[in-house]
Amino acid sequence: MSRLTLDGLGKRYGTAVAVDGVSLDIAQGELVVLLGPSGCGKTTTLRMIAGFVEASAGDVRLDGQSVLGLPPHRRDMGLVFQSYALFPHLTVARNIAFGLEMRGMARPACDARVAEMLRLTRLGALADRLPRQLSGGQQQRVALARALAIQPRVLLLDEPLSNLDAALRAEVGREIRLLQRESGLTTVMVTHDQDEAMAMADRLVVMRDGRVQQAGTQEDLYERPATPFVAGFIGRSNMVPGVLGADGGFSSGGAVLHLAGRYGAAGPGTLALRPERLSLAPPGSGYVDGVVELATYLGAVREHLVRLGHDLRVVVRDPTAAPGRLHPPGEPVALSWDLSAERLFNAQDAPLLPLPPGSNRETVYGRGEGALAGHPRLAIAESLHFATSNASAERPPHPDPLPEGEGADRSTHHD
């Protein structure tokens, strides 16, 4: 096991910036997933770690020692490719042994190591088969066994599950995670699939346009997204652009949403609402009224598409295990939610925190008077030149659930 450090790692192709100053400290035995859409720089970052792409800036260190000057075969890293890259003319056992043979390992030791890898990956019965005689999941396990056989200091996984169907992807993902934990290998994985990343990682690193947007645990990124992009990319969110008024109402698409929290700033921004934390209530009893446009039964959840105003639609999801029903299209409803369900960002994509109960803007943003004066995230909001108000309008009390048989209740579901 080794500690992997990326220090200001960057890659330019002419004037195009593919990776811009990525810095990470990955602990021994940690599995970190680089996550983001196509073109965000995650695969380029992985290939710079492996040595297949030359870095334009920064450093890659293993246990404090730079490896940038070393060729890939001397960095002591195992890489599992997206396409598996198995030798089609070699058996499973010979594929696993390839790296050991290239290192000149003695035959008895090589055979023993291959046998251990076959046992670890449950491929013993397939040792004499060729890759074309294997399923996709079996081929992936062979590629993983080959990477582990050389006992690398760091394991690199380049979208290892993308060629598998959904059911097999989940199964192989669990196997990789168990193998990684059993071996205690420091691991960096790349994927664009957020569910895959959430299931496998010790820590997530969300990238966009070559930069790290946010790094942290699954709970950190889901509950406390640093930007609207992270809020929309990790989990599912209704991303609502609009304007926060001085009275506390958030206007968007012809609708005014009365928020669960009070905020010490006003101006354009983005409201993120998690579908599974919204509830349907009788008209007039929630934070905003709307009309159901679509209702869908999805097995584990019921999903409603609700139109608010003339040009805003949000998705509401609630578990079918909880009391409730499908609301037919055209039925008037109201939406309600708890404070934990909403995340508000200003025009510069900085998060805004709700004010504590009983406080106003002066006590929060004043020069040392309030308990939260100088709070870093509140200081961000202070610098954005939003119009302000001394007090926010009273919020409606949290609505009661729809009665049984009359509508869905307020039960929420957390992924």
Side-chain angles (χ1 to χ4, degrees):
M1 295 188 296
S2 292
R3 189 179 195 89
L4 176 64
T5 303
L6 309 184
D7 185 5
L9 197 61
K11 179 61 181 177
R12 290 178 175 268
Y13 295 96
T15 58
V17 179
V19 177
D20 189 7
V22 171
S23 294
L24 293 170
D25 192 13
I26 302 172
Q28 293 184 5
E30 187 178 22
L31 194 160
V32 169
V33 175
L34 306 182
L35 175 66
S38 298
C40 72
K42 57 187 185 295
T43 298
T44 302
T45 300
L46 190 80
R47 291 181 176 272
M48 284 191 288
I49 296 172
F52 295 127
V53 172
E54 183 180 357
S56 303
D59 199 4
V60 177
R61 296 191 293 271
L62 281 179
D63 294 329
Q65 299 297 313
S66 176
V67 298
L68 273 190
L70 300 178
H73 67 278
R74 294 188 57 199
R75 295 195 181 192
D76 204 8
M77 298 181 182
L79 176 60
V80 177
F81 295 92
Q82 181 178 353
S83 60
Y84 315 144
L86 301 179
F87 297 106
H89 63 292
L90 299 182
T91 64
V92 167
R94 290 293 308 283
N95 265 284
I96 295 173
F98 181 81
L100 303 174
E101 294 172 351
M102 291 298 100
R103 283 164 171 75
M105 180 177 283
R107 175 55 58 186
C110 180
D111 290 344
R113 183 63 180 163
V114 169
E116 173 64 14
M117 289 297 98
L118 289 170
R119 182 200 63 79
L120 191 64
T121 55
R122 305 200 314 275
L123 290 169
L126 307 176
D128 296 325
R129 291 192 185 182
L130 296 173
R132 66 174 180 271
Q133 298 171 311
L134 304 176
S135 69
Q138 291 166 342
Q139 291 183 49
Q140 185 60 274
R141 295 212 304 272
V142 175
L144 182 62
R146 182 178 60 188
L148 294 175
I150 63 172
Q151 296 179 301
R153 298 169 69 186
V154 173
L155 179 64
L156 305 176
L157 305 174
D158 185 8
E159 303 220 29
L161 309 178
S162 62
N163 291 333
L164 306 178
D165 61 52
L168 191 57
R169 188 184 307 128
E171 178 184 344
V172 176
R174 286 191 290 269
E175 291 179 352
I176 290 176
R177 183 58 166 143
L178 289 171
L179 286 169
Q180 184 270 336
R181 283 193 171 179
E182 184 174 340
S183 63
L185 268 177
T186 305
T187 303
V188 181
M189 174 176 157
V190 161
T191 184
H192 63 274
D193 187 312
Q194 55 150 305
D195 293 331
E196 184 179 297
M198 296 276 280
M200 296 181 65
D202 290 315
R203 192 156 48 108
L204 299 175
V205 178
V206 177
M207 296 184 65
R208 183 187 189 192
D209 298 333
R211 296 183 177 181
V212 173
Q213 293 277 300
Q214 188 174 358
T217 65
Q218 291 89 324
E219 183 178 357
D220 288 337
L221 272 62
Y222 190 86
E223 301 291 349
R224 296 169 289 278
T227 67
F229 176 80
V230 175
F233 199 82
I234 299 297
R236 295 172 177 83
S237 287
N238 295 292
M239 306 304 296
V240 183
V243 177
L244 180 63
D247 63 352
F250 190 83
S251 301
S252 177
V256 178
L257 291 73
H258 298 282
L259 304 182
R262 296 186 304 117
Y263 298 85
T270 302
L271 174 66
L273 295 169
R274 298 286 186 191
E276 71 277 7
R277 295 183 178 178
L278 302 180
S279 300
L280 299 179
S285 66
Y287 292 128
V288 61
D289 287 344
V291 177
V292 174
E293 289 200 333
L294 288 175
T296 310
Y297 181 86
L298 298 175
V301 298
R302 293 177 287 259
E303 182 175 282
H304 294 87
L305 181 66
V306 180
R307 177 171 53 82
L308 311 175
H310 58 76
D311 194 28
L312 175 61
R313 291 174 175 83
V314 299
V315 174
V316 181
R317 295 165 68 100
D318 67 294
T320 53
R325 63 179 175 88
L326 283 178
H327 296 255
E331 180 176 335
V333 294
L335 297 188
S336 64
W337 57 86
D338 293 322
L339 180 59
S340 63
E342 68 185 31
R343 289 291 179 269
L344 189 61
F345 303 88
N346 59 30
Q348 284 74 25
D349 291 347
L352 298 177
L353 293 182
L355 303 180
S359 65
N360 57 31
R361 184 180 185 280
E362 279 69 24
T363 60
V364 174
Y365 293 105
R367 299 182 181 276
E369 294 91 340
L372 295 183
H375 188 287
R377 293 174 99 182
L378 293 175
I380 293 174
E382 169 68 7
S383 68
L384 297 178
H385 310 295
F386 281 169
T388 60
S389 61
N390 290 337
S392 297
E394 289 295 322
R395 295 287 178 264
H398 205 287
D400 294 328
L402 286 171
E404 189 70 31
E406 186 176 332
D409 70 357
R410 287 186 55 246
S411 299
T412 57
H413 173 61
H414 302 263
D415 286 343

